[in-house]
Amino acid sequence: MNKKSIEDLGFLSVLQKIQGCALSTEGVQRLANLGFLSDRDALQQRQRKVAAFYRLLGHPNGGVPSSFVDITEAMRILENPLLVLDGQGLVALAHYIRSAEIFLEYCNQNLDNSGPLQDIHGLLGLAIEDELLHLKSSIHSVLDESGEVKDSHPAIRSLRREVEHAKAVRSKFCNDYMKTKSSAMQSDQSAFRDGRVVIPVRNDRRSEVEGFISSASSSGNTVFMEPYKLVEMNNSVVMAENQILVEVAKLLAGLDKEARECKACLLSLQQMVGDADALFGAARYSFKTQASQVDLDSPLFTMIDARHPLLGRKAVPITVKLDSKVQAVVISGPNAGGKTVTIKTVGLMAMLNQFCGFIPAKDGSALPLFDDIFTDIGDEQSIEEELSTFSGHMKQIGYILRNMTKDSLVIMDELGSGTDPVEGAALARATLEYCLKEAKLTLVTSHHGVLKQFAYAKESVINASMEFDDFNHLPTFKVISGIPGDSHALDTAKAMRLPPEVLDKAKHYLGSEAVEIGEIIKGLEKRRREAEATERKLKDRHHALQQQVREVQLKELKLKQDALILK
């Protein structure tokens, strides 16, 4: 799909939401490169995988697997022989492997004792590699959740005992020494300076203590000293603590080495996680938006109650049904009536379909596949390129007409607008005629009567309109197939409280013929609504008659049962 259409139709925003449903960084990255499929077999294969995950998400025992920690930085360090993984990086690898185990079990589980879902069974293999499981076990046996070496580790535990013993000996010496030299002491508590224990001695009595002066108080009344014996004891504690650091470094180096030996397996696991998680993310998004699986085998274009996913609760369900002979649709109707939203929804649904085979619409929706989608939507004015709005549209339409194929979907908003109405209408008709020959399906919004008439004359083109509520003078945003729409410009102007004199003159300038056509369209809309109301009444009557028949049949059955009992 070309970049402009992806931007015009809002697919990038939808993609971000899909990526937000992924479990891993790899899944997010894979979704960004997943691409659209125009080959039916390839799309059906992807669709089946998404459908399998969708089924798991909706199953009571399905749920959502654990998310994955980001190991991008850890893998970058493993690629560089000059760097060493720290404890946090190693713990991240262990958690990643564990999450992969859970995800693998999720993909390969038996559902309702009917066996695994074959479409996703084995996406992450049948089991995690033994060397990865051993790495995970090694990391958890050495490090705690914060990435620090456990105090309970055998090598560290014995060294910790040595440190504590050296500290106890030092503490006892300090207490005894300070009692012996109490007259020279500034206080009866030892102090710490630069990680070493020192004794607070009165400055005027420091000659009574044989040792080194490490520092003095700000007032100069106290000096902090290490008696010669205490120097040795402090050194013993420091050396014992350094031995722990050496042992910790050895343990981390050993784990780093084991992780490097598993690098190929980790890279392979990342690839499998990314591929599977991308499909899971698409399924999870589809599940959240109550999307349904598209029928890829039907030759018809059937979009039932499709909801634009970026509009949330404001989205009005849109239904578009096209016969296989239809190659173009001309959508007309009032301004702000939903024409642009409708064509954007159609285009976005086509993209979503070819991305994952699910769209936020009702079951029974069927969409054809397109090799590309071309759009001309919005204001194409460019100050930098010195293009007017009309020139900008013509530049984009020229690009579309040069690049579309017999399998392309073309979407053009307000075709022929922004210039002289007569010339604009002529260009619009000529463009639409060209698209009929060179594109698979074309959707056009327009106010030009020429295009509405052209749609009536051509069997492969149909009119569609946006419904307008004549009572409230407001659009309903519903698509009506087969009937052209009136722009309702005068109705809208009246609703906006323009002076009656202006409205009367506008009707006069518009001409009786144009007003008459508008009234004909309104009459058609009124008859359609009346026909729909009649159809609803007939359906209600049909259901009522069915209920009466069921009640009569039940009575007859009861009478027969009573007769048998009497016999």
Side-chain angles (χ1 to χ4, degrees):
M1 301 290 175
N2 68 85
K3 183 180 178 182
K4 186 178 187 306
S5 297
I6 290 173
E7 293 174 352
D8 282 350
L9 298 174
F11 181 79
L12 291 179
S13 297
V14 175
L15 179 60
Q16 287 180 344
K17 292 180 179 293
I18 297 174
Q19 289 174 317
C21 293
L23 302 169
S24 66
T25 301
E26 292 78 16
V28 171
Q29 293 170 346
R30 184 70 182 89
L31 280 166
N33 299 306
L34 194 60
F36 304 94
L37 297 175
S38 56
D39 179 76
R40 191 175 305 278
D41 292 339
L43 180 57
Q44 283 180 330
Q45 187 177 10
R46 183 185 291 178
Q47 183 190 57
R48 286 195 297 268
K49 290 180 171 64
V50 174
F53 278 124
Y54 193 110
R55 183 180 172 191
L56 278 178
L57 287 164
H59 195 271
N61 298 327
V64 179
S66 301
S67 59
F68 289 76
V69 297
D70 187 358
I71 60 170
T72 304
E73 180 62 17
M75 295 303 295
R76 185 189 70 80
I77 291 173
L78 290 181
E79 293 288 344
N80 190 335
L82 301 178
L83 301 176
V84 178
L85 274 173
D86 61 11
Q88 291 181 337
L90 288 162
V91 170
L93 290 180
H95 284 313
Y96 190 92
I97 295 168
R98 178 55 189 153
S99 294
E101 283 186 274
I102 295 171
F103 197 21
L104 182 145
E105 292 169 3
Y106 182 83
C107 295
N108 295 353
Q109 66 180 298
N110 291 328
L111 202 61
D112 299 327
N113 297 319
S114 59
L117 298 171
Q118 293 301 322
D119 291 305
I120 58 175
H121 182 70
L123 274 182
L124 275 81
L126 301 179
I128 302 297
E129 294 285 348
D130 288 339
E131 56 188 300
L132 292 179
L133 296 177
H134 187 272
L135 173 63
K136 181 195 72 171
S137 179
S138 298
I139 293 171
H140 284 316
S141 67
V142 174
L143 305 177
D144 59 22
E145 287 301 306
S146 66
E148 299 293 330
V149 175
K150 295 178 179 178
D151 287 338
S152 59
H153 189 277
I156 301 300
R157 187 167 59 242
S158 62
L159 292 174
R160 289 284 183 206
R161 283 198 297 264
E162 292 179 16
V163 170
E164 295 306 317
H165 175 71
K167 286 181 177 180
V169 171
R170 181 180 65 182
S171 178
K172 185 177 184 306
F173 168 79
C174 289
N175 290 334
D176 292 344
Y177 189 88
M178 293 175 72
K179 287 178 182 178
T180 303
K181 302 282 187 177
S182 59
S183 60
M185 297 298 111
Q186 191 68 273
S187 79
D188 59 355
Q189 296 291 326
S190 59
F192 276 92
R193 290 291 185 275
D194 299 325
R196 300 174 71 86
V197 174
V198 293
I199 292 173
V201 180
R202 291 169 54 184
N203 193 22
D204 58 344
R205 306 285 294 272
R206 64 186 183 183
S207 60
E208 298 179 21
V209 177
E210 295 181 354
F212 298 104
I213 297 175
S214 63
S215 62
S217 66
S218 58
S219 65
N221 294 329
T222 305
V223 293
F224 298 98
M225 299 184 65
E226 285 186 63
Y228 296 132
K229 186 73 173 176
L230 183 56
V231 171
E232 294 179 11
M233 291 180 177
N234 273 327
N235 289 341
S236 295
V237 171
V238 170
M239 289 176 66
E241 289 177 335
N242 285 342
Q243 191 59 40
I244 291 176
L245 296 178
V246 170
E247 191 60 35
V248 166
K250 285 182 180 179
L251 291 170
L252 290 175
L255 292 175
D256 177 82
K257 180 182 178 183
E258 186 175 352
R260 289 178 188 278
E261 292 171 352
C262 296
K263 186 174 67 175
C265 288
L266 285 168
L267 289 171
S268 176
L269 182 63
Q270 276 188 296
Q271 181 66 44
M272 289 190 292
V273 166
D275 291 344
D277 188 28
L279 298 170
F280 175 81
R284 191 178 178 188
Y285 176 78
S286 299
F287 188 79
K288 281 185 175 182
T289 56
Q290 297 179 330
S292 62
Q293 187 169 336
V294 178
D295 181 358
L296 300 177
D297 295 320
S298 173
L300 303 178
F301 187 109
T302 307
M303 199 177 73
I304 305 172
D305 285 350
R307 306 173 306 281
H308 198 294
L310 298 179
L311 297 180
R313 294 181 178 178
K314 295 180 181 179
V316 176
I318 294 172
T319 297
V320 178
K321 297 182 179 180
L322 304 178
D323 187 85
S324 58
K325 295 180 181 178
V326 174
Q327 292 178 268
V329 181
V330 177
I331 304 175
S332 50
N335 290 318
K339 298 189 299 296
T340 302
V341 171
T342 296
I343 58 175
K344 280 188 172 183
T345 301
V346 172
L348 183 57
M349 293 303 111
M351 281 189 175
L352 272 174
N353 176 43
Q354 293 181 221
F355 188 76
C356 64
F358 278 74
I359 62 172
K362 285 187 177 179
D363 286 332
S365 295
L367 297 175
L369 302 184
F370 304 99
D371 64 352
D372 207 339
I373 298 175
F374 295 94
T375 57
D376 176 45
I377 300 173
D379 188 354
E380 298 296 330
Q381 187 179 45
S382 173
I383 296 175
E384 291 82 1
E385 296 185 31
E386 298 183 353
L387 293 175
S388 67
T389 298
F390 179 72
S391 299
H393 281 297
M394 287 299 101
K395 180 180 179 182
Q396 177 60 16
I397 290 173
Y399 170 81
I400 293 172
L401 300 184
R402 291 191 304 272
N403 290 277
M404 65 186 181
T405 73
K406 297 286 187 181
D407 291 314
S408 298
L409 170 63
V410 176
I411 298 174
M412 292 180 285
D413 192 24
E414 299 294 351
L415 180 61
S417 64
T419 188
D420 176 80
V422 176
E423 293 184 3
L427 271 172
R429 174 169 174 171
T431 300
L432 183 56
E433 286 180 337
Y434 188 81
C435 289
L436 283 175
K437 293 190 300 180
E438 302 298 335
K440 187 171 188 176
L441 178 63
T442 304
L443 302 178
V444 171
T445 69
S446 178
H447 292 286
H448 288 304
V450 169
L451 290 187
K452 300 175 190 178
Q453 295 169 8
F454 177 70
Y456 263 125
K458 277 281 185 179
E459 186 179 358
S460 59
V461 186
I462 65 167
N463 274 302
S465 61
M466 306 307 298
E467 188 180 56
F468 190 84
D469 187 338
D470 290 320
F471 180 77
N472 295 313
H473 299 289
L474 291 171
T476 66
F477 305 103
K478 293 182 180 179
V479 180
I480 309 301
S481 182
I483 299 177
D486 187 48
S487 295
H488 292 276
L490 296 180
D491 291 321
T492 303
K494 184 178 180 181
M496 295 297 106
R497 300 174 64 186
L498 266 70
E501 181 183 348
V502 173
L503 296 174
D504 291 340
K505 283 191 176 182
K507 287 181 182 179
H508 173 71
Y509 294 146
L510 188 61
S512 59
E513 183 180 347
V515 173
E516 185 178 344
I517 292 173
E519 292 301 321
I520 290 172
I521 292 174
K522 289 180 182 179
L524 288 172
E525 291 177 347
K526 182 180 178 181
R527 290 183 183 180
R528 177 192 58 78
R529 287 193 291 270
E530 291 173 351
E532 287 180 349
T534 302
E535 184 180 2
R536 283 196 296 272
K537 289 179 182 179
L538 288 173
K539 284 183 178 179
D540 292 342
R541 178 61 178 162
H542 177 69
H543 290 315
L545 288 172
Q546 283 184 322
Q547 184 62 31
Q548 290 176 7
V549 169
R550 280 194 292 269
E551 290 175 358
V552 170
Q553 289 175 340
L554 286 172
K555 288 179 181 179
E556 288 179 353
L557 181 61
K558 191 173 185 305
L559 289 172
K560 288 179 181 179
Q561 289 175 339
D562 291 342
L564 289 173
I565 292 171
L566 292 174
K567 289 181 179 180

